[in-house]
Amino acid sequence: MKVFKYKIELIDPLFYSKEGLSGAISPKYLHATAINYAVAYSLGINPEAQPYIISEENRGRNTPRYENSLASEAFYFTPGRPIGNIRYISEIAKGEDDNFVKLGYGASTGKAEVLKASQLFSIPPESIFEGFLIVRKEMIFPLIIRLGSFRGKALLNLEEIRVLKEKDKALVAHLVDPLVSKTIRGMMIGMFPYPIIENAVCERCIEIKVDGFSKYIALPDSFDFLENNIKRTPHIAII
């Protein structure tokens, strides 16, 4: 098992709110579902389960088909936190067929608007998010992934960090998906497809050494927590 600190830098504007109303604003965080399924999609892992697939099978076009953010038993990206402030850019869009704009406000009266458009607030390019990646086997990850309703490009950078030891019940240094890692307490952040947790204390953790400090990251519940599966890395490597 290895642990990496990841940074995701947007190349294209990012919009992923599902409000479906005018003035929709993307949350200032990257949900782990977006990251893990975007990486899985790039690696060709279980493509039928990807939220980005375009098909009319199952629940239809562009409809996510996941239960939580764990896209593969081989790796897991925690939710991403922005570095610095996020300044939104606004755009006018028309796209009823993509479900990010509500179909005509007059629909309830049977007189839907023909040229319905909406103002969307996207996160601008060059915005950077960071979090942690846990890897259970040797893998080569993509440099470019696609995120959001418009499949915008984003650059993925990884830096291996030192793993010290396993730890029970600790305050972790990242946002947590409560459906993947058992969370004892924390502050809920409301966002789609379901809330994530800030300042979380989690049941199963790993102590790491990053930026000169010891920190903790939460282990997904389905990942092994055996002594011989957590190998202490003696140095920092850059890939």
Side-chain angles (χ1 to χ4, degrees), residues 90-223:
S90 64
E91 302 171 285
I92 301 296
K94 178 182 182 300
E96 292 93 332
D97 291 340
D98 289 329
N99 293 325
F100 61 86
V101 173
K102 187 176 179 64
L103 180 63
Y105 288 125
S108 61
T109 64
K111 299 179 180 178
E113 298 176 39
V114 177
L115 300 178
K116 177 70 181 65
S118 182
Q119 187 175 22
L120 309 180
F121 291 87
S122 303
I123 299 176
E126 301 184 1
S127 298
I128 300 175
F129 300 82
E130 64 178 3
F132 296 98
L133 163 65
I134 301 171
V135 182
R136 304 178 74 188
K137 65 178 185 179
E138 292 294 333
M139 297 185 66
I140 297 177
F141 288 93
L143 292 175
I144 302 292
I145 59 176
R146 291 181 176 273
L147 298 170
S149 299
F150 304 109
R151 317 298 186 259
K153 292 181 181 178
L155 183 64
L156 175 63
N157 290 307
L158 301 178
E159 174 188 349
E160 187 175 353
I161 57 179
R162 187 180 177 187
V163 176
L164 299 179
K165 60 183 179 181
E166 65 269 27
K167 172 75 175 179
D168 293 332
K169 297 181 182 178
L171 177 66
V172 300
H174 57 84
L175 298 159
V176 172
D177 179 345
L179 299 186
V180 169
S181 302
K182 186 176 181 180
T183 306
I184 300 173
R185 64 176 181 268
M187 182 179 71
M188 185 180 73
I189 297 175
M191 62 184 300
F192 289 100
Y194 52 84
I196 56 177
I197 307 298
E198 177 70 291
N199 297 325
V201 176
C202 294
E203 186 75 31
R204 303 165 69 243
C205 305
I206 302 174
E207 184 179 0
I208 59 174
K209 193 81 169 182
V210 59
D211 299 330
F213 297 95
S214 291
K215 298 182 179 180
Y216 300 95
I217 60 172
L219 198 65
D221 293 341
S222 61
F223 281 19

Side-chain angles (χ1 to χ4, degrees), residues 15 17 19-26 91 105 117-121:
F15 175 80
S17 173
E19 289 288 340
L21 300 172
S22 63
I25 300 176
S26 299
E91 302 171 285
Y105 288 125
S118 182
Q119 187 175 22
L120 309 180
F121 291 87

Side-chain angles (χ1 to χ4, degrees), residues 5-64:
K5 182 178 181 179
Y6 77 77
K7 289 185 179 179
I8 293 176
E9 180 175 359
L10 302 184
I11 298 174
D12 297 324
L14 175 63
F15 175 80
Y16 54 95
S17 173
K18 294 290 290 183
E19 289 288 340
L21 300 172
S22 63
I25 300 176
S26 299
K28 294 183 178 180
Y29 304 96
L30 292 183
H31 203 294
T33 51
I35 304 170
N36 283 285
Y37 280 88
V39 172
Y41 177 78
S42 298
L43 295 174
I45 297 174
N46 193 15
E48 290 298 323
Q50 306 308 319
Y52 298 126
I53 194 169
I54 297 177
S55 170
E56 294 301 329
E57 296 180 357
N58 300 324
R59 287 175 283 177
R61 182 176 183 266
N62 284 347
T63 301

